[in-house]
Amino acid sequence: MSHSALDSGPAAAGSTPAVDPEPGQARAASTPPVRKRRRSFLPYGLILPAAILELLIHIGPMLLGIWIAFISLTQLNLTNWLNAPFVGLQNFINGLNPDSTIGQAFFSTVGRTLGYTILVVGFSWVLGMAGAVFLSSNFRGRALLRTFFLVPYALPAYVGTIAWAFMFNQRDGAVNQILVDTLHLFGDERPFWLLGENSFGAMVIVNVWQLWPFAFLMLMAALQNVPTDVYEAAAIDGATLWQQFRRITLPMVRPANGVLLMVMSLWTFNQFNVPFVLFGATSPKEATLISPLIYQNSFGSWNFGLGGAMSVLLLIALFIASAFYIRMVLPKGADND
Amino acid sequence: MKNPLKVLSAVAATAALALGLSACGGGGSPQASSDTITYWASDQGNSLDDTAAKLKPTLDRFTEKTGVKVQLEVISWTDLYNRILTAVTSGDGPDVLNIGNTWAVTLQETGAFEPVEGELLEAVGGKDRFLKTSWSTGGAEGKTPTSVPLYGLAYNMYYNTKLFKEAGIEKAPTTWDEFVADAKKLTKDTNGDGKPDQWGFTAAGASVSANSHQAFVRGLQNGGTLFDKDGKPTFDSDPQVEGVKQFVDLMATEKVMSPSDAELSQGSQKVDNLINGKAAMMFDQSPLKNFAARDFKDWGVAPIPMMTAGATGDRGTQSHVAGINLSVFKNSDNKANAIKLAAFLTSDEEQIALNKAYSSLPVVTAASSDAAFQTEEVKAKNDALANHSLPMPLIAKEGQMETLTGTAIKNLFAKAATGTVSEDDIRAALKDANNQMAAAQ
């Protein structure tokens, strides 16, 4: 955003409304004193509504969440939460004590959530990349396939997940119908997909199904910017397809990749909808992620302080990880953009 | 827009509009006027619409009698608790509302409901009109209750008479041993593929609240309690472990319950199993509306089996005092009319009409004698409610207790469905729940 665009706006609107002048022309046409007065007020006036809303719907609740982590908030003092007793770091100590049931659950959940994030983002990226490269060449039916790939992304998340929950149902679900009844895998036993150890894998599948079209969309957009003559030149020089992919495609989409991986990781690490719809209010032990754990602590046990403390820890961890990532990875990409 | 003042006013108007919109986001703010009150009803019918349709004649009579209009909202059970807590937190709720009676003490502690004393107590005709067990759920012992009973419910055993006949079982089991033995007889492979497809017993293994009710009842029958005299949780005491083991073993070791039941989270799914002949017995509070909707007639009803026949007192417990209570919101701008509605809904006539419609039990003794409640099913339920039920622990943290014990059992069923469950597993799961309960207190 440049200054000239901002100050030229009102002046241009006032003097020559019919034509959309170049910033430079507008500046020349208006008189300096008037412009100066407007400049001092208008930018602030324009961002005021956004600033107020940001404060109301983002920063306010965030500060409130941090405050809740330091008080003992239960349903007993919910109506009068401003007077809930201040307990300092007690909620954090409870949440982080590795000898306690709660602490153990917290640490194993963080580990599981990390593994989950790596799996989901990894698979989504590979699928998205493969789809994007595949569809970057011209062939009949490309548009149709493109639309088809985007269906999971266009579908409301809740609807897609609930359909998966039906399909994974042990007794009547489509997954067991196909695997057990049609293909005769797993012998006679119909495996459970939403209970026990399989639940983690089921959750990964559903999330990848939902997420990969986003990677596909972003990478396809990025690939549009890679000039075809680069590939042609490489092909003439005898580069294999794999070499072209490694030496041309990957470096060229690097800026998009940087943002894409970060956004997908943040979404997946915070994933709540998929487990909540698949498993209900409490996930199986083997598939409990950090956001559902916070939900269980806050709304299952009505221990809002503990839930708040875990949220703050999560916020700090994500903040550090994002800051590190942005410094290490994004600047080089951003300059190329 | 040359004038900065104009810009400023436009900006201010936008901000004000945005603020106004976001303030509306809380939702559910009732427009109170003197002749309209809002009422949140729990889902007692086959669906939200069905509940509303069955409630309408009563509310019409109320309007006719008092001139007060009622703005009704029926809320599903999955949403009700959170909706109530949102209302409590924001102070912006309906004038009158339904609560699950096991939440009464938890919600009493929030201080958001009108104590049942003075004008309100007088309006509902005093506590002696009500069934003693039901009245006891109104709030913590020794405190002024903040809710009055509205509908009564109790667990009974329902069974498929056709399957009983086929298995040569003439009368329903009364002790736990007989129950397990019968359940084994009723577990059959009917299509010859070497695996059972008809099961002796069915339950919603993933229903947290139903599981917690069983932890309560089975614990009591074995001489345990969920909390000791000092209010400390004792979920993992020997009798509690034994009680939970009996329930989980129906799937884990006795194999009279389908592993698929571990995925059922809705009570209606087990009712389906009974109707379809996939299972022969179940514990339920009020399946009659589902039976009627499916035109299912081959059902029988009996008391929940006990450890020893004819047990009384705590060990004779077959059910918690189930039911729905009614509260008046303290923040109501229209308290006089809210109290009028509470009195009307608990009047003898409306108790008969409503409980008949919802196949629940009247909570006022005068209404119980009505012809509508003299069927075998209602009598069995009434007997359980009046003589064989105890309220779930009347403590502020009842909600957490339900979540923790119910989830522990849900996970144990999941373990039974996908592998084996030992007594140690059960003890460990209940110990975990106990530790979390202790940490929350």
Side-chain angles (χ1 to χ4, degrees), chain A:
Chain A
M1 176 140 25
S2 67
H3 266 276
S4 56
L6 256 185
D7 4 339
S8 70
S15 52
T16 47
V19 200
D20 192 12
E22 289 289 315
Q25 289 176 327
R27 188 170 295 172
S30 55
T31 46
V34 178
R35 218 180 62 227
K36 206 163 191 177
R37 222 175 41 225
R38 283 184 187 167
R39 184 202 280 161
S40 61
F41 164 73
L42 198 66
Y44 300 106
L46 285 177
I47 62 162
L48 188 68
I52 290 174
L53 283 179
E54 176 72 13
L55 207 67
L56 263 176
I57 54 183
H58 242 139
I59 296 174
M62 204 167 82
L63 292 177
L64 205 66
I66 293 171
W67 171 242
I68 286 173
F70 292 94
I71 57 175
S72 170
L73 184 63
T74 65
Q75 79 272 32
L76 308 187
N77 42 34
L78 204 53
T79 38
N80 199 6
W81 58 273
L82 281 173
N83 292 331
F86 183 81
V87 292
L89 291 173
Q90 196 54 49
N91 289 322
F92 291 91
I93 294 167
N94 287 347
L96 290 173
N97 178 3
D99 294 329
S100 72
T101 308
I102 293 168
Q104 278 163 11
F106 178 71
F107 285 113
S108 59
T109 304
V110 168
R112 188 180 306 115
T113 310
L114 270 175
Y116 179 75
T117 307
I118 292 168
L119 280 174
V120 169
V121 174
F123 278 121
S124 301
W125 186 86
V126 169
L127 280 173
M129 193 66 184
V133 170
F134 177 53
L135 288 194
S136 61
S137 55
N138 235 328
F139 60 91
R140 272 183 92 147
R142 186 169 84 144
L144 191 75
L145 219 55
R146 195 182 291 187
T147 318
F148 184 70
F149 282 176
L150 288 175
V151 165
Y153 190 61
L155 215 59
Y158 192 91
V159 175
T161 315
I162 222 164
W164 276 105
F166 277 120
M167 293 201 296
F168 276 128
N169 180 283
Q170 184 253 359
R171 198 173 71 184
D172 328 290
V175 171
N176 275 349
Q177 297 255 327
I178 293 168
L179 295 182
V180 181
D181 300 349
T182 313
L183 300 174
H184 301 290
L185 300 170
F186 307 106
D188 280 350
E189 285 304 314
R190 303 173 85 81
F192 282 95
W193 298 104
L194 300 178
L195 300 180
E197 283 161 8
N198 288 347
S199 53
F200 183 81
M203 191 169 63
V204 170
I205 291 172
V206 176
N207 207 353
V208 169
W209 177 82
Q210 256 176 25
L211 193 60
W212 84 268
F214 177 72
F216 164 70
L217 196 68
M218 296 287 283
L219 290 169
M220 204 167 58
L223 283 179
Q224 307 280 310
N225 291 333
V226 183
T228 46
D229 49 0
V230 185
Y231 288 107
E232 280 160 16
I236 289 167
D237 288 342
T240 62
L241 282 176
W242 173 243
Q243 279 171 329
Q244 289 179 25
F245 176 73
R246 263 196 57 204
R247 305 288 171 129
I248 303 170
T249 311
L250 273 187
M252 295 294 250
V253 298
R254 200 190 147 109
N257 247 340
V259 180
L260 176 68
L261 288 176
M262 184 170 84
V263 168
M264 289 205 300
S265 301
L266 287 176
W267 285 349
T268 311
F269 199 84
N270 283 325
Q271 184 56 265
F272 179 79
N273 294 342
V274 169
F276 191 78
V277 178
L278 275 187
F279 309 122
T282 47
S283 303
K285 255 188 182 165
E286 295 85 348
T288 304
L289 300 180
I290 191 74
S291 292
L293 182 77
I294 291 170
Y295 174 82
Q296 279 166 37
N297 279 316
S298 299
F299 294 95
S301 315
W302 298 111
N303 199 341
F304 294 100
L306 181 66
M310 287 186 178
S311 302
V312 169
L313 290 172
L314 185 71
L315 183 77
I316 294 171
L318 288 180
F319 185 76
I320 293 173
S322 307
F324 181 77
Y325 186 86
I326 288 169
R327 273 195 81 82
M328 296 302 292
V329 181
L330 287 189
K332 303 165 206 154
D335 289 342
N336 291 345
D337 223 41

Side-chain angles (χ1 to χ4, degrees), chain B residues 44-64:
Chain B
Q44 299 300 124
N46 291 324
S47 63
L48 300 185
D49 288 342
D50 180 53
T51 300
K54 283 175 175 160
L55 195 52
K56 191 172 181 294
T58 292
L59 296 181
D60 286 347
R61 282 192 288 272
F62 175 71
T63 306
E64 207 173 292

Side-chain angles (χ1 to χ4, degrees), chain B residues 39-248:
Chain B
Y39 176 42
W40 283 2
S42 56
D43 182 16
Q44 299 300 124
N46 291 324
S47 63
L48 300 185
D49 288 342
D50 180 53
T51 300
K54 283 175 175 160
L55 195 52
K56 191 172 181 294
T58 292
L59 296 181
D60 286 347
R61 282 192 288 272
F62 175 71
T63 306
E64 207 173 292
K65 189 180 159 196
T66 60
V68 179
K69 287 192 206 93
V70 180
Q71 202 180 321
L72 171 73
E73 187 180 353
V74 182
I75 299 171
S76 76
W77 281 104
T78 39
D79 295 334
L80 189 58
Y81 197 34
N82 276 335
R83 285 288 298 274
I84 295 173
L85 271 152
T86 314
V88 166
T89 321
S90 64
D92 192 11
D95 299 291
V96 183
L97 73 167
N98 284 181
I99 64 172
N101 71 2
T102 61
W103 310 332
V105 184
T106 308
L107 294 173
Q108 179 182 41
E109 294 292 332
T110 63
F113 297 152
E114 195 65 15
V116 186
E117 57 189 2
E119 201 186 336
L120 177 55
L121 183 63
E122 226 167 84
V124 298
K127 70 175 194 175
D128 293 334
R129 278 184 68 231
F130 291 84
L131 218 61
K132 222 179 231 166
T133 43
S134 293
W135 185 265
S136 71
T137 62
E141 258 178 302
K143 283 192 183 172
T144 309
T146 50
S147 62
V148 289
L150 179 63
Y151 311 124
L153 288 166
Y155 272 103
N156 269 116
M157 188 174 80
Y158 292 84
Y159 56 92
N160 184 317
T161 51
K162 206 169 135 228
L163 302 185
F164 263 49
K165 210 176 275 172
E166 281 168 14
I169 300 170
E170 279 165 11
K171 71 179 205 22
T174 55
T175 67
W176 193 258
D177 288 343
E178 284 171 23
F179 163 69
V180 174
D182 282 350
K184 279 183 180 163
K185 273 188 226 164
L186 289 156
T187 303
K188 284 181 189 170
D189 169 21
T190 56
N191 61 5
D193 65 353
K195 287 181 299 180
D197 31 50
Q198 174 190 313
W199 299 86
F201 180 73
T202 182
S207 163
V208 170
S209 58
N211 285 340
S212 74
H213 300 154
Q214 290 307 316
F216 173 68
V217 169
R218 300 242 60 74
L220 283 168
Q221 287 199 7
N222 283 280
T225 50
L226 289 167
F227 294 91
D228 66 13
K229 283 196 191 95
D230 304 327
K232 282 211 184 90
T234 48
F235 301 169
D236 56 346
S237 63
D238 287 344
Q240 280 301 139
V241 172
E242 187 53 35
V244 170
K245 187 171 184 310
Q246 282 160 6
F247 188 51
V248 175

